[in-house]
PDB file of all heavy atoms in Angstrom:
ATOM      1  N   MET A   1       5.656  11.171  18.854  1.00 36.00           N
ATOM      2  CA  MET A   1       6.416  10.716  17.711  1.00 36.00           C
ATOM      3  C   MET A   1       5.461  10.545  16.527  1.00 36.00           C
ATOM      4  O   MET A   1       4.405   9.960  16.641  1.00 36.00           O
ATOM      5  CB  MET A   1       7.105   9.395  18.044  1.00 36.00           C
ATOM      6  CG  MET A   1       7.832   8.817  16.855  1.00 36.00           C
ATOM      7  SD  MET A   1       9.010   7.515  17.257  1.00 36.00           S
ATOM      8  CE  MET A   1       7.961   6.106  17.437  1.00 36.00           C
ATOM      9  N   ALA A   2       5.846  11.061  15.401  1.00 45.00           N
ATOM     10  CA  ALA A   2       5.026  10.966  14.193  1.00 45.00           C
ATOM     11  C   ALA A   2       5.202   9.596  13.542  1.00 45.00           C
ATOM     12  O   ALA A   2       6.246   8.979  13.632  1.00 45.00           O
ATOM     13  CB  ALA A   2       5.409  12.063  13.217  1.00 45.00           C
ATOM     14  N   GLY A  15      -1.384  15.457  11.262  1.00 93.00           N
ATOM     15  CA  GLY A  15      -1.175  15.133  12.669  1.00 93.00           C
ATOM     16  C   GLY A  15      -2.455  15.081  13.486  1.00 93.00           C
ATOM     17  O   GLY A  15      -2.408  14.861  14.695  1.00 93.00           O
ATOM     18  N   ASP A  17      -5.961  13.914  15.257  1.00 95.00           N
ATOM     19  CA  ASP A  17      -6.196  12.691  16.016  1.00 95.00           C
ATOM     20  C   ASP A  17      -7.608  12.132  15.841  1.00 95.00           C
ATOM     21  O   ASP A  17      -8.072  11.351  16.654  1.00 95.00           O
ATOM     22  CB  ASP A  17      -5.893  12.910  17.498  1.00 95.00           C
ATOM     23  CG  ASP A  17      -6.818  13.928  18.142  1.00 95.00           C
ATOM     24  OD1 ASP A  17      -7.669  14.523  17.442  1.00 95.00           O
ATOM     25  OD2 ASP A  17      -6.696  14.125  19.365  1.00 95.00           O
ATOM     26  N   GLU A  18      -8.278  12.512  14.758  1.00 96.00           N
ATOM     27  CA  GLU A  18      -9.594  11.956  14.478  1.00 96.00           C
ATOM     28  C   GLU A  18      -9.551  11.216  13.138  1.00 96.00           C
ATOM     29  O   GLU A  18      -9.827  11.760  12.083  1.00 96.00           O
ATOM     30  CB  GLU A  18     -10.671  13.036  14.464  1.00 96.00           C
ATOM     31  CG  GLU A  18     -12.056  12.431  14.482  1.00 96.00           C
ATOM     32  CD  GLU A  18     -13.166  13.456  14.628  1.00 96.00           C
ATOM     33  OE1 GLU A  18     -12.894  14.606  15.013  1.00 96.00           O
ATOM     34  OE2 GLU A  18     -14.307  13.078  14.341  1.00 96.00           O
ATOM     35  N   GLY A  35       1.167  -3.758 -16.348  1.00 65.00           N
ATOM     36  CA  GLY A  35       0.344  -4.960 -16.413  1.00 65.00           C
ATOM     37  C   GLY A  35      -0.456  -5.240 -15.166  1.00 65.00           C
ATOM     38  O   GLY A  35      -0.035  -4.947 -14.057  1.00 65.00           O
ATOM     39  N   LYS A  39      -6.598  -8.848  -8.666  1.00 68.00           N
ATOM     40  CA  LYS A  39      -7.783  -8.070  -8.332  1.00 68.00           C
ATOM     41  C   LYS A  39      -7.998  -8.152  -6.836  1.00 68.00           C
ATOM     42  O   LYS A  39      -7.875  -9.215  -6.238  1.00 68.00           O
ATOM     43  CB  LYS A  39      -8.997  -8.606  -9.085  1.00 68.00           C
ATOM     44  CG  LYS A  39      -8.879  -8.383 -10.576  1.00 68.00           C
ATOM     45  CD  LYS A  39     -10.075  -8.909 -11.296  1.00 68.00           C
ATOM     46  CE  LYS A  39      -9.900  -8.661 -12.794  1.00 68.00           C
ATOM     47  NZ  LYS A  39     -10.961  -9.239 -13.577  1.00 68.00           N
ATOM     48  N   ASN A  41     -10.805  -7.033  -3.861  1.00 70.00           N
ATOM     49  CA  ASN A  41     -12.193  -6.624  -3.736  1.00 70.00           C
ATOM     50  C   ASN A  41     -12.463  -5.673  -2.581  1.00 70.00           C
ATOM     51  O   ASN A  41     -13.399  -4.890  -2.639  1.00 70.00           O
ATOM     52  CB  ASN A  41     -13.089  -7.858  -3.594  1.00 70.00           C
ATOM     53  CG  ASN A  41     -13.053  -8.711  -4.847  1.00 70.00           C
ATOM     54  OD1 ASN A  41     -12.982  -8.196  -5.945  1.00 70.00           O
ATOM     55  ND2 ASN A  41     -13.089 -10.009  -4.660  1.00 70.00           N
ATOM     56  N   THR A  44      -9.047  -1.701   3.277  1.00 88.00           N
ATOM     57  CA  THR A  44      -9.306  -0.891   4.457  1.00 88.00           C
ATOM     58  C   THR A  44      -8.831   0.517   4.139  1.00 88.00           C
ATOM     59  O   THR A  44      -7.742   0.702   3.595  1.00 88.00           O
ATOM     60  CB  THR A  44      -8.536  -1.431   5.675  1.00 88.00           C
ATOM     61  OG1 THR A  44      -8.978  -2.760   5.928  1.00 88.00           O
ATOM     62  CG2 THR A  44      -8.763  -0.561   6.899  1.00 88.00           C
ATOM     63  N   VAL A  47      -9.376   7.458   7.103  1.00 95.00           N
ATOM     64  CA  VAL A  47      -9.654   8.819   6.649  1.00 95.00           C
ATOM     65  C   VAL A  47      -9.536   9.781   7.821  1.00 95.00           C
ATOM     66  O   VAL A  47     -10.134   9.566   8.876  1.00 95.00           O
ATOM     67  CB  VAL A  47     -11.076   8.928   6.048  1.00 95.00           C
ATOM     68  CG1 VAL A  47     -11.311  10.326   5.503  1.00 95.00           C
ATOM     69  CG2 VAL A  47     -11.305   7.877   4.978  1.00 95.00           C
ATOM     70  N   CYS A  48      -8.794  10.864   7.633  1.00 96.00           N
ATOM     71  CA  CYS A  48      -8.676  11.929   8.628  1.00 96.00           C
ATOM     72  C   CYS A  48      -9.843  12.897   8.435  1.00 96.00           C
ATOM     73  O   CYS A  48     -10.040  13.416   7.337  1.00 96.00           O
ATOM     74  CB  CYS A  48      -7.356  12.665   8.458  1.00 96.00           C
ATOM     75  SG  CYS A  48      -7.203  14.116   9.526  1.00 96.00           S
ATOM     76  N   ASP A  61      -1.841 -11.493   3.585  1.00 85.00           N
ATOM     77  CA  ASP A  61      -1.554 -12.807   4.138  1.00 85.00           C
ATOM     78  C   ASP A  61      -0.245 -13.281   3.503  1.00 85.00           C
ATOM     79  O   ASP A  61       0.311 -12.606   2.643  1.00 85.00           O
ATOM     80  CB  ASP A  61      -2.704 -13.788   3.898  1.00 85.00           C
ATOM     81  CG  ASP A  61      -3.044 -13.967   2.423  1.00 85.00           C
ATOM     82  OD1 ASP A  61      -2.193 -13.708   1.547  1.00 85.00           O
ATOM     83  OD2 ASP A  61      -4.175 -14.377   2.131  1.00 85.00           O
ATOM     84  N   GLU A  62       0.265 -14.426   3.929  1.00 89.00           N
ATOM     85  CA  GLU A  62       1.566 -14.888   3.428  1.00 89.00           C
ATOM     86  C   GLU A  62       1.560 -15.114   1.919  1.00 89.00           C
ATOM     87  O   GLU A  62       2.520 -14.776   1.233  1.00 89.00           O
ATOM     88  CB  GLU A  62       2.000 -16.163   4.144  1.00 89.00           C
ATOM     89  CG  GLU A  62       2.572 -15.917   5.529  1.00 89.00           C
ATOM     90  CD  GLU A  62       3.770 -14.969   5.515  1.00 89.00           C
ATOM     91  OE1 GLU A  62       4.683 -15.133   4.682  1.00 89.00           O
ATOM     92  OE2 GLU A  62       3.779 -14.045   6.353  1.00 89.00           O
ATOM     93  N   GLU A  63       0.489 -15.659   1.389  1.00 84.00           N
ATOM     94  CA  GLU A  63       0.423 -15.918  -0.046  1.00 84.00           C
ATOM     95  C   GLU A  63       0.494 -14.609  -0.841  1.00 84.00           C
ATOM     96  O   GLU A  63       1.262 -14.490  -1.799  1.00 84.00           O
ATOM     97  CB  GLU A  63      -0.867 -16.666  -0.390  1.00 84.00           C
ATOM     98  CG  GLU A  63      -0.980 -17.014  -1.856  1.00 84.00           C
ATOM     99  CD  GLU A  63      -2.256 -17.791  -2.167  1.00 84.00           C
ATOM    100  OE1 GLU A  63      -2.999 -18.144  -1.236  1.00 84.00           O
ATOM    101  OE2 GLU A  63      -2.491 -18.031  -3.356  1.00 84.00           O
ATOM    102  N   ARG A  64      -0.281 -13.616  -0.447  1.00 81.00           N
ATOM    103  CA  ARG A  64      -0.268 -12.331  -1.152  1.00 81.00           C
ATOM    104  C   ARG A  64       1.077 -11.622  -0.956  1.00 81.00           C
ATOM    105  O   ARG A  64       1.623 -11.037  -1.874  1.00 81.00           O
ATOM    106  CB  ARG A  64      -1.415 -11.451  -0.658  1.00 81.00           C
ATOM    107  CG  ARG A  64      -1.512 -10.162  -1.441  1.00 81.00           C
ATOM    108  CD  ARG A  64      -2.794  -9.437  -1.175  1.00 81.00           C
ATOM    109  NE  ARG A  64      -3.856 -10.092  -1.925  1.00 81.00           N
ATOM    110  CZ  ARG A  64      -5.134  -9.989  -1.626  1.00 81.00           C
ATOM    111  NH1 ARG A  64      -5.534  -9.275  -0.603  1.00 81.00           N
ATOM    112  NH2 ARG A  64      -6.051 -10.595  -2.347  1.00 81.00           N
ATOM    113  N   GLY A  74      10.477  -3.539  -5.251  1.00 80.00           N
ATOM    114  CA  GLY A  74      10.447  -2.991  -3.906  1.00 80.00           C
ATOM    115  C   GLY A  74      10.856  -1.530  -3.903  1.00 80.00           C
ATOM    116  O   GLY A  74      11.438  -1.029  -4.856  1.00 80.00           O
ATOM    117  N   CYS A  75      10.552  -0.844  -2.816  1.00 79.00           N
ATOM    118  CA  CYS A  75      10.895   0.574  -2.659  1.00 79.00           C
ATOM    119  C   CYS A  75      11.653   0.772  -1.358  1.00 79.00           C
ATOM    120  O   CYS A  75      11.391   0.087  -0.378  1.00 79.00           O
ATOM    121  CB  CYS A  75       9.630   1.429  -2.612  1.00 79.00           C
ATOM    122  SG  CYS A  75       8.638   1.336  -4.088  1.00 79.00           S
ATOM    123  N   PRO A  88      17.438   3.916  -9.268  1.00 40.00           N
ATOM    124  CA  PRO A  88      17.365   4.151  -7.837  1.00 40.00           C
ATOM    125  C   PRO A  88      16.379   5.253  -7.528  1.00 40.00           C
ATOM    126  O   PRO A  88      16.096   6.090  -8.363  1.00 40.00           O
ATOM    127  CB  PRO A  88      18.794   4.577  -7.470  1.00 40.00           C
ATOM    128  CG  PRO A  88      19.653   4.139  -8.608  1.00 40.00           C
ATOM    129  CD  PRO A  88      18.769   4.122  -9.810  1.00 40.00           C
ATOM    130  N   GLN A  89      15.870   5.257  -6.300  1.00 41.00           N
ATOM    131  CA  GLN A  89      14.933   6.286  -5.887  1.00 41.00           C
ATOM    132  C   GLN A  89      15.523   7.669  -6.134  1.00 41.00           C
ATOM    133  O   GLN A  89      16.706   7.896  -5.911  1.00 41.00           O
ATOM    134  CB  GLN A  89      14.600   6.161  -4.414  1.00 41.00           C
ATOM    135  CG  GLN A  89      13.421   5.283  -4.153  1.00 41.00           C
ATOM    136  CD  GLN A  89      13.063   5.312  -2.681  1.00 41.00           C
ATOM    137  OE1 GLN A  89      13.902   5.142  -1.819  1.00 41.00           O
ATOM    138  NE2 GLN A  89      11.802   5.524  -2.416  1.00 41.00           N
ATOM    139  N   GLY A  90      14.672   8.589  -6.584  1.00 43.00           N
ATOM    140  CA  GLY A  90      15.120   9.947  -6.825  1.00 43.00           C
ATOM    141  C   GLY A  90      15.760  10.158  -8.179  1.00 43.00           C
ATOM    142  O   GLY A  90      16.116  11.260  -8.528  1.00 43.00           O
ATOM    143  N   GLY A  93      13.381   8.903 -14.552  1.00 41.00           N
ATOM    144  CA  GLY A  93      13.373   9.783 -15.727  1.00 41.00           C
ATOM    145  C   GLY A  93      12.075  10.536 -15.863  1.00 41.00           C
ATOM    146  O   GLY A  93      11.060  10.171 -15.306  1.00 41.00           O
ATOM    147  N   SER A  94      12.095  11.633 -16.616  1.00 36.00           N
ATOM    148  CA  SER A  94      10.887  12.428 -16.800  1.00 36.00           C
ATOM    149  C   SER A  94      10.178  12.044 -18.054  1.00 36.00           C
ATOM    150  O   SER A  94      10.654  11.343 -18.877  1.00 36.00           O
ATOM    151  CB  SER A  94      11.195  13.905 -16.820  1.00 36.00           C
ATOM    152  OG  SER A  94      12.306  14.179 -17.642  1.00 36.00           O
TER     153      SER A  94
END
Side-chain angles (χ1 to χ4, degrees):
M1 176 165 80
D17 64 357
E18 193 173 344
K39 293 180 180 175
N41 295 323
T44 299
V47 184
C48 174
D61 58 23
E62 281 303 313
E63 182 178 355
R64 185 168 282 159
C75 299
Q89 270 186 311
S94 46

